[in-house]
Amino acid sequence: MFFRSQKEDTQKVDDTSGIKTTIKETAIALLRLSATSLPHDVQQSMQEIKQEVLNHEGALLQISNILDDVELARETSAPMCQDTGIVSFILSVGDQFPLKSELKEILREATGEATKLVPLRPNTVDFFEGNPGNNIDPRGHIPYFYLDLVSGDKLKITAMTKGGGSSNIAKLGMLKPGLGLKGAMQFVIDALAEAGPAGCPPYRIGVGIGGGEDICMNLAKKALLRPLGERHADERVANLENSLMEACNVLPIGPMGVGAGQTVMDVNINLASRHPASLPVGVVFSCWALRHASAIISPDSSVEFVDY
Amino acid sequence: MAIYHLQLPLSEEDVKKLQIGDNIYVTGKIVTARDDAHKHALDLHAKGETLPVNFGELGIFHCGPIMQKDETGKWNMVAGGPTTSNRMEIFQDIFIETFGSRLIIGKGGMGPRTTVACEKFGAVYGMFTGGAALLAAKGVKEVLEVHWYDLLGMPECLWVLQVEEFGPLMIGIDAHGNNFFEENRKKTMESKKDAYAIIDKTLEAMH
């Protein structure tokens, strides 16, 4: 019995080393996909925006450059934008998936390797340690992990390479609850007007309302990952999304701020309950290069890439 | 809107004929410089130290590129679109005055201080499409020099680049005191009330 049990242990070690390699290689592949291949729904949206500005030379130049750049990136498998962001991973970990806490270290390693292989721009700057050149925070916070525990035996990984320019224009509002939904919606419009073209429009805007100061920002960021054009399951929230989208596009910003053409490709809202004394509103922007890629890994090391 | 193909460095005459909304393509030498590089250059100059490049002779590109060394050890640009220029607003005017740069390249526009400096010292601001990093890299024919790499790191250091038909750069600030982005910002702020009205209508209908 003892011997058999030992043998099983050895077998188990080999099993995890196989899946560890799969996870690492998949994560590297996802970082490459994210940085070099714009999701098709976003590209399609840029095409539609282009059709509307055929008569405006300035806007047409900008949107054509964007589309040419996207094509070049896909053809050459090179990053479409030099700013490949602060790397983050959104993980849905199944109850029966064989690895849990070790995932973080594997994904850190993948980030370091992808930085050389893709390549990604080394973006982690520490005030005291400088830039280590590998996109890994020496203090352990980056790559950043958003974790969710789910049923089943699979692991879903989404890699996000979101640029810093559009992160700089994010806004958090801790509004007075008396301002209501109207105040929350106006806060989004104000944030966009304030941002102008600084974060590379056409933007996608994620809005988180409720929860708390960090929760609303988190909800806002995750709203960026919904399929483009998808509306909230609650019809009332969906209504607000449509209205906000229409309102945002009244502002004459346009692609790269040329003053004509569509400014916002989509607006998505995530709503949570709030504290009676608080009305937190988070507004997160993505530049036109809305970059993310996902895959689902099974315990037998099979990998299914999600097509966007 | 006019389109021009110009050689770098720009002459005073070149700069004077450009107007906001025009698009230009440039050929010659440019140098990447963002927050830390601007700060470091001005600090060194204040101390009377010699700088590794003559910023007055080069187009100044707000850019933190991805660069890669080939087998022979030569640097190549992988991707190099512009970064948000407004961060450099805090010292761009002093930079233009100190070094005499005539062309600033970036994205997102710059503010009133840069506008004043462009008019006073004969410079323009040109916007390259933000994020279009591979188009930018296509216009870079050679990486000529790199300075301050160990000090500032890949995105922040100075990369001197030979560019050909680099553009289009939309003139956002001309040398006559006009600022396209500031003007558009005013229009944007004025139109907020129309955006609010759409929301009001929706909320009313929901009640």
Side-chain angles (χ1 to χ4, degrees), chain A residues 148-219:
Chain A
D148 196 11
L149 304 175
V150 298
S151 60
D153 64 355
K154 296 187 183 359
L155 166 71
K156 183 179 178 191
I157 306 178
T158 299
M160 206 171 182
T161 52
K162 183 183 184 298
S166 65
S167 287
N168 286 343
I169 54 175
K171 280 276 187 315
L172 165 68
M174 299 303 287
L175 308 185
K176 293 185 170 54
L179 294 173
L181 270 178
K182 181 174 167 169
M185 298 295 108
Q186 289 190 351
F187 184 76
V188 179
I189 293 164
D190 291 351
L192 173 61
E194 182 62 35
C200 292
Y203 297 124
R204 181 163 193 190
I205 303 180
V207 182
I209 303 174
E213 70 280 28
D214 54 339
I215 302 169
C216 70
M217 293 306 289
N218 195 310
L219 289 172

Side-chain angles (χ1 to χ4, degrees), chain A residues 278-307:
Chain A
S278 307
L279 174 47
V281 184
V283 189
V284 174
F285 294 81
S286 170
C287 55
W288 62 261
L290 173 55
R291 286 158 290 171
H292 57 90
S294 307
I296 296 162
I297 302 176
S298 298
D300 66 358
S301 283
S302 62
V303 182
E304 183 198 334
F305 286 87
V306 181
D307 194 27

Side-chain angles (χ1 to χ4, degrees), chain A residues 181-261:
Chain A
L181 270 178
K182 181 174 167 169
M185 298 295 108
Q186 289 190 351
F187 184 76
V188 179
I189 293 164
D190 291 351
L192 173 61
E194 182 62 35
C200 292
Y203 297 124
R204 181 163 193 190
I205 303 180
V207 182
I209 303 174
E213 70 280 28
D214 54 339
I215 302 169
C216 70
M217 293 306 289
N218 195 310
L219 289 172
K221 194 154 198 178
K222 285 185 177 161
L224 297 178
L225 295 169
R226 300 228 300 258
L228 205 68
E230 187 186 273
R231 285 290 164 258
H232 197 283
D234 184 328
E235 207 181 306
R236 295 163 295 186
V237 183
N239 220 345
L240 291 177
E241 290 176 330
N242 286 331
S243 182
L244 203 46
M245 166 94 168
E246 190 191 340
C248 285
N249 277 316
V250 164
L251 304 187
I253 299 171
M256 299 314 301
V258 292

